[in-house]
Amino acid sequence: MYKRVRKAVIPAAGLGTRFLPATKALAKEMLPIVDIPTLDYQVNEAVRAGVEEIILIISKAKEDIKKHFSREEEYENYLLSKGKVEEANIIKEIATRAKITYVYQNEMLGLGHAILCTKEAVGNEPFIVILGDDLIINEGGDNVSTQMVKVYNETGASVIGCQEVLPENVSKYGIMALKSELKDRKALLSDMVEKPALEVAPSRLACLGRYLLTPGIFDELENTKPGKGGEIQLTDAIKTLAQKEDVYVYDFIGRRYDVGDKYGFVEATIDFALKRDDMRDKVLNHIKELLNK
Ligand code: G1P
């Protein structure tokens, strides 16, 4: 039996400049897809995968995230006094479904640096990293974090979640080189390159914002020099980790939305609205009207 995966890390310190002006005073992780902040989808994913503690990486400018996860009993009681039981439960659940802890990243030195800031909070155990820009849905099946925990439980090794991307998108992601072909959706990682040009990319398998890491990653991060874009890259630390211990690449099942991108955000909003019984017919009618114009 390997150590159980009990913790997830969600980096949320970034400024979200792609969503200005909305993100001038509001954390980008609080922007909702219909009525649920993207961060809540990520927390729910982790909780469903068996995680008990969520470590949120924030900065001084992102204190509104703390307010979102704090228990507001006065507000709950007010809602209850108005007969709004469902609403009262919703805000209670946000604050109670997992233990939420905060780690501050005060300098924006890259994703690798952000993860290194959680070294003490994570300790000597495996953990999941969930990137907020990647919203991944696997309707009717295990969510992506659950799938990755299953691979970890079989192997005891780090697991990097990936999917094949279009050639024109290769240079946006960490790209994997494999030791062998994928079998049962997984293979051992031999190399990983951060945002390579298509001509030099080892494959089209891209890391899409889910990592299950053994604590050995922290030693690698401590020795990782600034890489692509002058930032300390998690990709570079994973590459050196893979030279010391097994790291699996796992081709996860699920539809991934890039909600860090404006178009991806709109796409997710439409798809999620269409999945909801209270909205589906209205949204479909609206789209039909638009098509008939
Ligand atoms: C980060 C990682 C990259 C990964 C991507 C997934 O890049 O550095 O390796 O493929 O997330 O979304 P970012 O999109 O933050 O620039």
Side-chain angles (χ1 to χ4, degrees):
M1 274 289 278
Y2 303 108
K3 274 189 186 167
R4 202 161 80 73
V5 181
R6 299 187 307 133
K7 296 183 181 180
V9 168
I10 307 182
L15 291 172
T17 45
R18 282 197 281 178
F19 273 83
L20 280 170
T23 50
K24 182 162 179 279
L26 197 71
K28 93 170 167 182
E29 295 76 13
M30 285 293 115
L31 298 179
I33 304 293
V34 188
D35 51 6
I36 300 177
T38 54
L39 185 53
D40 275 337
Y41 287 103
Q42 322 291 9
V43 170
N44 285 336
E45 177 185 315
V47 170
R48 290 204 186 107
V51 162
E52 291 158 10
E53 181 178 344
I54 314 274
I55 301 162
L56 288 174
I57 309 171
I58 60 169
S59 70
K60 297 244 158 56
K62 307 289 279 287
E63 297 278 339
D64 47 344
I65 290 181
K66 273 184 155 174
K67 182 164 167 35
H68 181 67
F69 290 108
S70 67
R71 183 97 193 257
E72 308 270 354
E73 284 182 60
E74 219 173 288
Y75 192 8
E76 282 169 33
N77 290 334
Y78 170 78
L79 290 169
L80 289 173
S81 74
K82 297 283 172 197
K84 294 185 184 292
V85 180
E86 198 186 322
E87 288 83 349
N89 282 338
I90 288 173
I91 65 162
K92 181 179 172 187
E93 214 204 313
I94 291 171
T96 54
R97 71 198 138 165
K99 180 178 171 200
I100 309 269
T101 49
Y102 299 91
V103 163
Y104 283 83
Q105 183 194 16
N106 295 318
E107 290 173 294
M108 296 300 117
L109 301 179
L111 177 61
H113 172 254
I115 302 304
L116 184 55
C117 293
T118 69
K119 182 179 175 185
E120 273 174 38
V122 169
N124 190 29
E125 53 183 288
F127 63 106
I128 305 176
V129 175
I130 297 181
L131 300 190
D133 284 349
D134 299 292
L135 186 54
I136 301 166
I137 302 298
N138 181 30
E139 246 178 297
D142 285 340
N143 74 37
V144 55
S145 287
T146 306
Q147 294 172 44
M148 290 176 49
V149 167
K150 285 187 174 171
V151 178
Y152 166 83
N153 286 343
E154 285 164 19
T155 61
S158 294
V159 186
I160 314 300
C162 75
Q163 277 186 340
E164 197 167 277
V165 295
L166 294 170
E168 60 267 34
N169 290 330
V170 158
S171 63
K172 293 185 189 165
Y173 301 106
I175 300 292
M176 330 274 189
L178 308 183
K179 286 190 178 165
S180 61
E181 280 184 15
L182 291 171
K183 188 165 174 270
D184 295 333
R185 311 192 78 92
K186 60 182 187 287
L188 285 170
L189 178 78
S190 69
D191 194 8
M192 192 169 167
V193 195
E194 182 67 7
K195 304 192 174 100
L198 179 60
E199 306 77 66
V200 296
S203 75
R204 278 169 44 198
L205 273 180
C207 163
L208 295 180
R210 294 297 181 279
Y211 311 79
L212 199 162
L213 299 168
T214 56
I217 195 67
F218 293 115
D219 284 346
E220 304 312 318
L221 283 168
E222 273 170 347
N223 294 316
T224 300
K225 303 267 173 312
K228 190 99 186 178
E231 297 189 339
I232 298 175
Q233 297 290 351
L234 181 57
T235 296
D236 294 339
I238 292 170
K239 174 190 166 123
T240 55
L241 184 69
Q243 288 157 8
K244 298 181 183 161
E245 51 181 83
D246 283 353
V247 174
Y248 280 88
V249 171
Y250 172 69
D251 179 11
F252 64 79
I253 305 167
R255 163 76 157 95
R256 175 253 184 184
Y257 296 89
D258 179 5
V259 294
D261 170 74
K262 282 171 209 172
Y263 173 70
F265 194 90
V266 172
E267 215 180 15
T269 303
I270 295 169
D271 284 5
F272 281 48
L274 286 172
K275 280 185 197 129
R276 285 180 43 157
D277 292 343
D278 60 338
M279 294 211 164
R280 185 179 166 79
D281 291 349
K282 287 183 203 161
V283 177
L284 270 182
N285 282 339
H286 178 59
I287 293 171
K288 279 182 202 149
E289 271 170 33
L290 290 175
L291 290 174
N292 288 333
K293 261 189 189 166

